[in-house]
Amino acid sequence: MSKNKTEEALVTVQHLTRDFDVSPPWLNRVIEGKKKAILQAVSDVSFDVKKNSIYALVGESGSGKSTIGKIVVGLLSPTSGVVRVDGVDLAREADKTRLEQTRAGIQMIFQDPFASLNPRWKVKDIIEEPVTARGGDAHGLAEKLLEQVGLSAADVSKFPHEFSGGQRQRICIARALAAEPKLIVCDEPTSALDVSVQAQVLNLMSDLRERFGLTYLFISHDLTIVQHMADTIGVLYLGRLIEEAPRDELFGNPHHPYTQMLLEAAPKLDGFGREVEPPKGEIPDPINPPSGCAYHPRCPIAVERCKNERPGMEQKNKSRVACFLAE
Amino acid sequence: MNKQAGREPVLSVANLSVEIPTRQGTLTPVDKLSFDIEQGRILGVVGESGAGKSMTGNAVIGLLDPPAHIAGGEIRLKGRRIDNLAREALRKVRGKEIGMVFQDPLTSLNPLLPIGEQLTETILEHLPVGKTEAQNRAVAALEEVGIPAAAQRINSYPHEFSGGMRQRVVIALALCAEPSLVIADEPTTALDVSVQAQIIALLKRLCRERGTAIMLITHDMGVIAETADEVAVMYAGRLAEIGPVRDVLTAPIHPYTQGLMASTPLAAKGKKRLSQIPGAMPRLTDLPDGCAFNPRCPIAKDKCRRPPAPNLDSGGGNAACWYASGARS
């Protein structure tokens, strides 16, 4: 691969691990003899997000996709491992100004546009906050951004409750754009929206990417959206990255049995009367994950080795796969 | 619709209207809706939020929250009118004749009672059986929906089950009195893809084996495609289009259904941009005159902007549109 400008990684995640302490209260541990409990939400995850690309993280609930998103924007700190954005390690960078500059270049769009806008603030204040909070001049910025996201400049003096769900998500996008970010982390940006509105928001996000050269880390459970939007896709299972591939490769030629199951189980628009063999079992308890490969209790092709040894990520053609048996 | 001679539909809804009186005037979240569901068939009801899907389901089962009330039309269950039943009579129908599965399995189970007790209570209420028999049936119902070691888990509380297992319990609860109709309101929306596939397979199997009619309310077109026999598309409280699932999804004739299908990422296969319907569904407080879809419609003409609103007959029986392209037979 040629290391030209666009091939450079904007985000590098290396051996990222995040633990949460979910122990019962201290007193219960003493009286009832309960042990400490650690939930490993993200376990040894490594990937790169190239500049001006869309990297999607998919997985079912509890797979750690939102936790990774929060670590990348700096809302959570990693337990171990390194996240670099533009070469800066957000958790350890000592140079305050450099850290501040990098952080200003990362914005987030959340799932629920009804919960992520302050109901008591006017739209103008909401959109301009990322700039004014850093002491910048935001004169006329809100009006300009509102028009760029397809709303009217006259909306600046309205309150969030005067907008529909799709319009609110546009306001969230305008707010994210205000800081002139390089990277936007989108955590399920359209799952609270209806199909026809979802299309509007996804189109807007694609347009803005081309216009401003944005990079997206796109978190979703919806494979159809990911297939439409993403350049590269990472599939997570129980906090582990189990497959990563360019879009067409992942959907055309999935290697990991979990990815295959996920693609098979997703409802198809032309699947009239389709009888699928429903997948076995459910996602295991993340506090006591299975030994070896986390997917082995549900895996149709698991062998003895999968129980004892955790597979690492191996390059297979264009994909990286964590499976001993993947061809 | 395709009413075969001699076969009476399990559920027959004719001209159903639901109204909510408010200070700003009367709202009509469900406006002259008509559809039938036959034995062993699954009718999918799709639409965006606020289209009136859940309101329709609640009206059928008699669970409208006042001040919402049925303002007109008829609901017949196996030929018998149930929309004008008294409270007590309706309570006997609900649970016995109609089972209900809601979106969130945690809120539809009583957290303070073991699941076995909730099942036996329902069975004893509706079926003429003794306590031991009721318990046996409860275990059998749990086994049927695929809960492993049902006999041991019958004394577990809802919080001890995972989301998918809880939804299975809710389905067992809806089916334990052997109803002829099940209303499933977004039964898989709160679940993961792999669990969703399990629940869909379960619903289809039960429908096939027991001949239960199912009204499946969802916003997910993929789920509808794989599950439903017929599909009804709702927009702003009105039926936009109805017909066999394959026809409606592959060759929609109402401009709204066409837009909706084109805007799903699944339909965009390879295209850079998704096609989109401009605007959003109008609020019930300011519905446009004439066809409710006219402000967003690419082919709207003057006729669409004037009352009366088109009904199914305007579009050849399948779509409520004056200009539905090529009515299907």
Side-chain angles (χ1 to χ4, degrees), chain A residues 1-155:
Chain A
M1 258 187 284
S2 61
K3 283 268 171 198
N4 59 28
K5 196 88 179 157
T6 53
E7 290 286 334
E8 268 173 52
L10 180 65
V11 184
T12 25
V13 175
Q14 284 166 336
H15 305 290
L16 179 67
T17 298
R18 169 72 201 201
D19 296 340
F20 289 103
D21 189 343
V22 289
S23 311
W26 172 82
L27 202 56
N28 296 55
R29 293 210 302 274
V30 174
I31 297 171
E32 295 162 23
K34 284 186 179 158
K35 287 198 200 110
K36 277 207 132 194
I38 301 294
L39 187 155
Q40 194 158 74
V42 180
S43 173
D44 195 13
V45 168
S46 305
F47 63 89
D48 289 349
V49 181
K50 294 202 179 74
K51 266 188 188 143
N52 202 6
S53 76
I54 301 181
Y55 189 99
L57 287 172
V58 291
E60 301 182 274
S61 45
S63 62
K65 50 194 193 303
S66 292
T67 308
I68 295 177
K70 283 183 183 157
I71 294 172
V72 170
V73 292
L75 288 174
L76 285 173
S77 55
T79 304
S80 67
V82 182
V83 176
R84 280 180 217 280
V85 179
D86 230 1
V88 178
D89 181 348
L90 294 178
R92 293 181 192 84
E93 177 64 45
D95 182 350
K96 277 262 166 66
T97 41
R98 196 162 172 226
L99 181 65
E100 195 52 32
Q101 268 172 6
T102 314
R103 295 185 69 156
I106 310 170
Q107 291 291 321
M108 186 153 186
I109 299 168
F110 295 91
Q111 172 171 1
D112 185 356
F114 291 83
S116 56
L117 295 173
N118 188 333
R120 289 164 191 268
W121 281 23
K122 285 185 177 164
V123 168
K124 183 180 171 63
D125 301 326
I126 291 173
I127 293 177
E128 291 178 350
E129 199 200 8
V131 176
T132 52
R134 293 194 165 86
D137 174 27
H139 186 72
L141 181 66
E143 287 84 352
K144 192 181 91 195
L145 286 168
L146 276 175
E147 288 187 341
Q148 280 173 351
V149 298
L151 295 171
S152 144
D155 290 335

Side-chain angles (χ1 to χ4, degrees), chain A residues 61 194 200 203 207 279 282, chain B residues 49 162 192 198 273-274 277:
Chain A
S61 45
D194 283 314
Q200 298 169 4
N203 281 342
D207 294 346
E282 294 182 21
Chain B
S49 40
S162 67
D192 281 316
Q198 295 168 353
R273 285 177 67 85
L274 298 166
I277 310 177

Side-chain angles (χ1 to χ4, degrees), chain B residues 24 77 87 102 127 145 148 166 184 186 298:
Chain B
Q24 287 96 39
L77 188 72
R87 245 176 100 97
F102 293 99
L127 297 178
V145 295
R166 256 181 236 140
E186 305 269 10

Side-chain angles (χ1 to χ4, degrees), chain A residues 60-61 194-196 198-200 202-203 207 210 224 228 267-269 271-272 274-275 279 281-282 298, chain B residues 48-49 162 165 192-194 196 198 204 208 221-222 225-226 264-266 271-274 276-277 279 296:
Chain A
E60 301 182 274
S61 45
D194 283 314
V195 184
S196 69
Q198 166 179 296
Q200 298 169 4
L202 292 178
N203 281 342
D207 294 346
E210 295 197 352
T224 60
H228 178 71
K268 314 263 183 299
L269 258 191
F272 303 113
R274 191 171 75 114
E275 297 284 342
E282 294 182 21
R298 304 171 70 187
Chain B
E48 301 179 80
S49 40
S162 67
M165 284 295 156
D192 281 316
V193 181
S194 62
Q196 165 172 292
Q198 295 168 353
K204 275 163 87 170
R208 197 166 50 221
M221 286 294 191
E226 297 204 347
T264 59
L266 279 172
K271 265 187 285 170
K272 203 105 206 272
R273 285 177 67 85
L274 298 166
Q276 56 186 52
I277 310 177
R296 304 173 74 188

Side-chain angles (χ1 to χ4, degrees), chain A residues 207-227:
Chain A
D207 294 346
L208 293 172
R209 171 169 82 122
E210 295 197 352
R211 198 146 143 206
F212 297 107
L214 298 170
T215 306
Y216 290 127
L217 179 62
F218 196 95
I219 296 164
S220 180
H221 70 281
D222 191 330
L223 291 165
T224 60
I225 297 177
V226 166
Q227 185 171 15

